[in-house]
Amino acid sequence: MNEFVQAFVANSLFFGVVITLLTYQFGMFLKNKFKLAIFNPIVVSIVCIIVVLVAFEIDVADYTAGAQYINYLLTPATVCLAVPLYEKVALLKKHMIAILVGIFSGVLSGAVSILLMSMAFGLGHTEYVTLLPKSITTAIGIGLSEEYGGIVTITVAAIVITGNLGNMIAEFICRVCRIEEPIAKGIAIGTSSHAAGTAKAIEMGDVEGAMSGLSIAVSGLMTVVISMIFVNLW
């Protein structure tokens, strides 16, 4: 059975796309049915895909060969984040200083937390620089990890976990901390959990989504600068 499935996958150009979309839709079904944050569609999809690959002993390279077509949609999807920001440009201009200070505070606190945890758990320099870009978008995070000698695969995993965790608990954290200002919510979510968190911010409201989308780009640039300082602190 496994041999048949492996042969089918190896000769199928779109297996990766199909299994990704099906598992994501399954995650959406669970989320809509149970209304629980733990049933995040992306997390459910990741878990289901891992189970399928392991159960049928499918080579990850065969899955990736098909799933790569989804990557073509990432660029236009990212560009689309500029639409809600453009619609809220007047709000952005009005609170520009507060927004930039908020994003900088988030980036700085993220770098400090990684530094303190590395000290507390006795992590080496390699592990430290691997985790340093965990809160920014994957494209920038991979570049930083490679430049500073980190383990890129772990960096990607940390970014994925950070983003999806932010997506899952963003509303809960805002409620517990009594954060009611839409701009503050968007900045906090986008700065700490990049695109995955921004998906949740968009669900929460137009202002939250616009500010979170802005935070992805600005926090990425700020992280590049701050990392130049923090990379030598441990």
Side-chain angles (χ1 to χ4, degrees), residues 124-208:
H125 178 75
T126 299
E127 291 78 14
Y128 168 62
V129 295
T130 295
L131 297 176
L132 200 55
K134 70 173 181 60
S135 294
I136 58 177
T137 186
T138 307
I140 302 177
I142 290 176
L144 284 180
S145 183
E146 290 178 339
E147 181 179 352
Y148 296 135
I151 305 171
V152 176
T153 52
I154 296 180
T155 298
V156 172
I159 291 173
V160 171
I161 292 172
T162 300
N164 285 291
L165 187 61
N167 183 292
M168 294 167 62
I169 67 174
E171 286 186 294
F172 173 75
I173 294 297
C174 288
R175 186 165 57 251
V176 169
C177 297
R178 298 182 180 180
I179 303 175
E180 300 178 354
E181 171 57 50
I183 296 178
K185 290 181 181 179
I187 291 173
I189 295 171
T191 302
S192 61
S193 50
H194 50 84
T198 298
K200 171 58 67 176
I202 292 174
E203 293 179 11
M204 295 169 66
D206 292 340
V207 176
E208 290 90 333

Side-chain angles (χ1 to χ4, degrees), residues 85 88-99 211 214:
L85 179 60
K88 304 295 181 183
V89 67
L91 193 64
L92 171 62
K93 292 179 179 179
K94 181 180 179 180
H95 301 284
M96 178 66 73
I97 301 300
I99 290 172
M211 294 301 108
L214 171 68

Side-chain angles (χ1 to χ4, degrees), residues 18-154:
V18 172
I19 193 66
T20 300
L21 294 179
L22 287 178
T23 53
Y24 183 82
Q25 286 302 314
F26 177 62
M28 288 294 296
F29 168 76
L30 293 178
K31 180 182 179 182
N32 293 332
K33 182 175 178 61
F34 296 103
K35 307 297 182 182
L36 296 174
I38 193 173
F39 291 116
N40 179 284
I42 299 177
V43 175
V44 172
S45 179
I46 292 172
V47 172
C48 290
I49 290 172
I50 291 175
V51 170
V52 171
L53 297 184
V54 172
F56 294 100
E57 299 179 354
I58 299 172
D59 194 316
V60 175
D62 291 332
Y63 162 75
T64 305
Q68 65 178 335
Y69 297 107
I70 296 180
N71 291 338
Y72 298 144
L73 302 176
L74 290 178
T75 298
T78 303
V79 172
C80 286
L81 293 175
V83 176
L85 179 60
Y86 175 77
E87 294 175 345
K88 304 295 181 183
V89 67
L91 193 64
L92 171 62
K93 292 179 179 179
K94 181 180 179 180
H95 301 284
M96 178 66 73
I97 301 300
I99 290 172
L100 292 178
V101 171
I103 296 174
F104 177 77
S105 299
V107 172
L108 182 61
S109 62
V112 170
S113 67
I114 292 299
L115 175 61
L116 294 179
M117 284 190 289
S118 296
M119 292 178 174
F121 293 101
L123 300 182
H125 178 75
T126 299
E127 291 78 14
Y128 168 62
V129 295
T130 295
L131 297 176
L132 200 55
K134 70 173 181 60
S135 294
I136 58 177
T137 186
T138 307
I140 302 177
I142 290 176
L144 284 180
S145 183
E146 290 178 339
E147 181 179 352
Y148 296 135
I151 305 171
V152 176
T153 52
I154 296 180

